[in-house]
Amino acid sequence: MFSLFNIFRFIAFLEGLSYILLLFIATPVKYFADDPEYVKMLGMPHGILFMLYIILAFMLKQENSWFKDNFKMVLLASIIPFGTFYLDHKHFRKIAN
């Protein structure tokens, strides 16, 4: 039930969500309302989730052939807005089932 892959999917979801909130809510509030508090609140959790995402991706790369073949796409998805959601929808659900 709590396989490394399922943990990775959960972290990928949280990382994607924190990235979207940081880009589309916290950053505009910082520059348009001159209130950097949201960036401070969301920046650290996003950074931790991003590092966990990268570490788990490297761990899964070693034990999963799909990750070896598409590792660059997995890493790229972490820096593109909505990228982790796209990967989950198109690729991860097939592997999990």
Side-chain angles (χ1 to χ4, degrees):
M1 180 170 194
F2 289 112
S3 69
L4 187 60
F5 183 70
N6 286 335
I7 293 169
F8 177 75
R9 285 184 68 200
F10 181 69
I11 295 297
F13 173 78
L14 292 178
E15 192 274 335
L17 182 63
S18 70
Y19 192 41
I20 297 299
L21 291 173
L22 193 59
L23 282 178
F24 296 114
I25 294 177
T27 303
V29 167
K30 177 182 178 179
Y31 289 109
F32 295 126
D34 198 30
D35 184 10
E37 202 60 36
Y38 291 107
V39 173
K40 290 178 184 177
M41 261 186 345
L42 290 171
M44 180 65 77
H46 171 69
I48 292 169
L49 289 167
F50 178 76
M51 289 187 296
L52 282 172
Y53 179 90
I54 299 299
I55 290 167
L56 289 171
F58 273 101
M59 291 171 66
L60 282 169
K61 178 186 174 190
Q62 294 175 354
E63 68 180 47
N64 190 325
S65 63
W66 183 87
F67 267 80
K68 286 181 183 177
D69 297 338
N70 298 294
F71 186 65
K72 289 179 186 175
M73 182 175 57
V74 171
L75 293 181
L76 186 62
S78 68
I79 59 172
I80 296 175
F82 301 101
T84 57
F85 301 121
Y86 173 79
L87 271 183
D88 188 64
H89 181 72
K90 290 290 185 182
H91 300 288
F92 294 162
R93 288 184 188 178
K94 294 175 189 174
I95 296 170
N97 291 332

